[in-house]
Amino acid sequence: SRVVITFGTFDVFHVGHLRILQRAAAHGDSLVVGVSTDQLNHSKKGRYPVYTQQERAEIVAAIKCVDTVFYEESLDLKGDYITRYAANVLVMGDDWHGKFDHFAGQCEVVYLPRTPAISTTEVIEKIRY
Ligand code: C2G
């Protein structure tokens, strides 16, 4: 059976997140999701997400098409996570287009188009004003 793996922060969970998980799941029989840690976000973006990693992981785990959730501690461990979960397909949104092509020897690499006009940043802005 085909295992799909994907990664993300999934902060202030919105319909763009839901749709990429559903479309990722459609590429195989089970879906494994790496939720980036608060620390990874802080070191990468200089700020912590709105929701904690535990809250973000709890929400993602409750989505019907998601089978397994784990914490993504480092961007450099993707290859290890792919091996650990025996993933056959890596699915990412096309904001990462080309970035993970070097895993093509390890698993299939698929980039899916993002849902237009929605992002965590836009949701935050909409609430703020
Ligand atoms: N996404 C989408 N449509 C949107 C917004 C996001 O399809 N309108 C997708 C992204 O392309 C990504 C996933 O939802 O595949 C999660 O997005 P983010 O939470 O922004 O994740 P990111 O911080 O890019 O992931 O190893 C990657 C890291 O975990 C970072």
Side-chain angles (χ1 to χ4, degrees), residues 81-123:
Y81 298 133
I82 291 166
T83 304
R84 186 183 309 170
Y85 292 97
N88 303 102
V89 198
L90 168 63
V91 173
M92 294 297 295
D94 62 6
D95 42 330
W96 295 91
H97 194 266
K99 294 256 165 55
F100 302 116
D101 289 355
H102 52 286
F103 293 117
Q106 215 181 331
C107 65
E108 218 176 289
V109 180
V110 174
Y111 303 99
L112 297 179
R114 286 165 63 92
T115 298
I118 184 151
S119 70
T120 298
T121 309
E122 275 180 59
V123 172

Side-chain angles (χ1 to χ4, degrees), residues 31-52:
L31 178 61
V32 179
V33 185
V35 172
S36 61
T37 59
D38 295 333
Q39 212 45 61
L40 173 54
N41 275 272
H42 187 260
S43 63
K44 204 178 55 173
K45 300 175 188 168
R47 63 171 182 85
Y48 288 104
V50 175
Y51 295 163
T52 65

Side-chain angles (χ1 to χ4, degrees), residues 2 4 19-31 65-67 91 112:
R2 261 163 79 86
V4 182
R19 289 178 187 163
I20 196 126
L21 293 175
Q22 290 172 331
R23 289 182 296 150
H27 281 260
D29 304 301
S30 67
L31 178 61
C65 64
V66 174
D67 298 284
V91 173
L112 297 179

